[in-house]
Amino acid sequence: LRLGDRLTGKPLHVDISDEPIKKGICTNRNKFILGPSGSGKSFFTNHMLRTYYEQGSHIVLVDVGHSYKGLCDLVDGYYFSYSESDPIRFNPFYTEDGKRPDTEKKESIKTLLLALWKKDTETYRRSEYVALSNALTLYYDHLEQHPNIAPSFNTFYEFLKSGFAEKLKEDKVKDRDFDLSNFLYVLRPYYRGGELDYLLNATENLDLLSERFIVFELDEIKNHPILFPVITIVIMEVFISKMRKLKGIRKVILVEEAWKALMKEGFAQYVQYLFKTVRKFFGEAIVVTQEVEDIISSPIVKQAIINNSDCKILLDQSKYQNKFDQIQELLGLTEKEKALVLSVNKANDPTKKYKEVFISLGGVLSRVYRTEVSPAEYLAYTTEETEKLKVNAYAKKHGSMERGIAALAAEMTEKP
């Protein structure tokens, strides 16, 4: 990661992932990032993620607030967000190169179908689970025999009404064991012409396994009773699939402020699982937050995330000066580290535009660095609304995000 020496500004290459593990300073690559609004948190995180991307990593981002739209456009990644005119779309039935889904993929589709079919308070019977397993197996047999049929919820629904209904009759399966009519009725809104028919029938942005930069922007749907649980399951499936299938490739999942919403939907157990096991798959989990109260009051964050993040990254904590004793205790910082954190941005070079960042590795090695970037990088990472609008206008005018940023950066540099 390219950072600057705190005193001189001299560029440094800082390894906060692999070298600390080789040297025995850290036991995992997970990171916990804390910084109040305006501290440069999103800016530093954008810079770090772009570095990961340029070095071949696969990145899955869960965000609220559109902090990574510029970077996603720049690297031509997949950006999933919701609006009335362009709602969020997935296709969980799609498999890479038309292969049959593996056990994990089938399990995630079953979990999704059961979540849509049964209310939170309802339990499913063993016979229903078995019937869904059989339905999926037969559906993929059907797709192999008819290569012109594209996998989607629409074609799965049509198969249930015809081929699978006949199979149930043949096997004399009773309604009390699997009520197909009820299943089809409850899931009708997701089928062609239904209110939510867009959700599971995407025809683009399908190959999530080989796409290296994926953003799930949840701002508009974090309180939606149907969309939110569905997207939670999709996120889990996407990253676990990358984790297990992409051998020898670095995988990064970063959960921004969205983790607060995710905790409501049983995502908490997944986060715990992730932080404990991701290191075994050359992966790292990163959580970013700005609210001290959240980390202090959430036992999941406290135990699962903080205890399993050997790298702690803190931005300007001036706003939390009076509460810092709690933060110090929570993160296990020494008095020396506390003094370093509270010195961030206190004596910056007034002739340069940068913000400082405190990084602690395994509680053993702690330093403060500058995050100082070029004008072009600044434009790619900015979260200021007026600047983002200008960048987008230039990108449109010049035909791509990269060319738009280059033109705008050149203008900024020329100005006295």
Side-chain angles (χ1 to χ4, degrees), residues 73-178:
D73 288 347
L74 183 67
V75 301
D76 200 23
Y78 288 178
Y79 197 84
F80 293 102
S81 66
Y82 181 89
S83 68
E84 288 293 332
S85 58
D86 187 15
I88 203 159
R89 293 177 175 87
F90 302 106
N91 188 344
F93 295 87
Y94 173 85
T95 55
E96 298 77 28
D97 306 321
K99 293 175 189 163
R100 291 183 75 87
D102 58 18
T103 307
E104 222 157 52
K105 174 80 171 170
K106 276 174 73 175
E107 287 302 313
S108 81
I109 298 174
K110 278 184 273 185
T111 304
L112 178 62
L113 293 171
L114 286 164
L116 297 175
W117 184 24
K118 302 284 185 181
K119 290 203 287 275
D120 291 345
T121 50
E122 283 182 277
T123 53
Y124 58 83
R125 291 195 300 281
R126 178 82 188 140
S127 57
E128 293 172 328
Y129 190 78
V130 169
L132 277 183
S133 289
N134 292 341
L136 283 168
T137 302
L138 292 168
Y139 170 64
Y140 283 100
D141 288 346
H142 177 67
L143 292 181
E144 276 183 2
Q145 290 155 19
H146 302 86
N148 57 320
I149 298 176
S152 68
F153 181 76
N154 283 341
T155 58
F156 176 66
Y157 192 89
E158 284 157 7
F159 171 73
L160 290 179
K161 283 201 294 185
S162 55
F164 190 62
E166 286 164 27
K167 178 73 177 148
L168 289 176
K169 265 186 208 166
E170 207 179 287
D171 293 347
K172 297 186 172 59
V173 175
K174 296 181 176 66
D175 278 357
R176 69 167 182 268
D177 294 321
F178 183 71

Side-chain angles (χ1 to χ4, degrees), residues 3-9 349 352 354-355 369-372:
L3 294 168
D5 179 83
R6 185 180 198 184
L7 296 174
T8 63
D349 181 343
K352 300 276 192 301
Y354 66 89
K355 282 185 175 165
Y369 299 95
R370 296 185 186 188
T371 307
E372 194 171 359

Side-chain angles (χ1 to χ4, degrees), residues 345-393:
N345 291 343
K346 291 287 191 291
N348 288 9
D349 181 343
T351 65
K352 300 276 192 301
K353 195 176 180 181
Y354 66 89
K355 282 185 175 165
E356 292 185 327
V357 56
F358 165 89
I359 299 174
S360 167
L361 296 168
V364 176
L365 205 61
S366 305
R367 282 188 70 179
V368 175
Y369 299 95
R370 296 185 186 188
T371 307
E372 194 171 359
V373 301
S374 67
E377 286 172 305
Y378 174 83
L379 292 169
Y381 310 151
T382 183
T383 52
E384 287 292 325
E385 187 68 23
T386 51
E387 291 172 338
K388 276 162 77 172
L389 289 170
K390 200 166 186 183
V391 168
N392 289 337

Side-chain angles (χ1 to χ4, degrees), residues 232-260:
T232 303
I233 293 166
V234 171
I235 294 167
M236 290 192 273
E237 196 266 323
V238 167
F239 193 73
I240 286 176
S241 176
K242 284 182 182 291
M243 212 163 80
R244 296 189 183 279
K245 291 177 185 172
L246 302 174
K247 310 285 184 193
I249 296 170
R250 190 189 309 276
K251 283 78 65 177
V252 178
I253 182 164
L254 183 135
V255 184
E256 260 271 0
E257 295 298 318
W259 63 264
K260 283 179 278 185

Side-chain angles (χ1 to χ4, degrees), residues 33-43 64-65 67 256-257 260 288-294 314-320 345 355 383-384:
I33 303 177
L34 173 68
S37 180
S39 63
K41 171 172 49 70
S42 294
F43 202 86
V64 288
S67 303
E256 260 271 0
E257 295 298 318
K260 283 179 278 185
V288 183
T289 190
Q290 64 178 30
E291 289 300 329
V292 181
E293 279 72 18
D294 293 328
L314 281 78
L315 284 301
D316 194 334
Q317 300 292 310
S318 307
K319 289 182 183 175
Y320 299 147
N345 291 343
K355 282 185 175 165
T383 52
E384 287 292 325

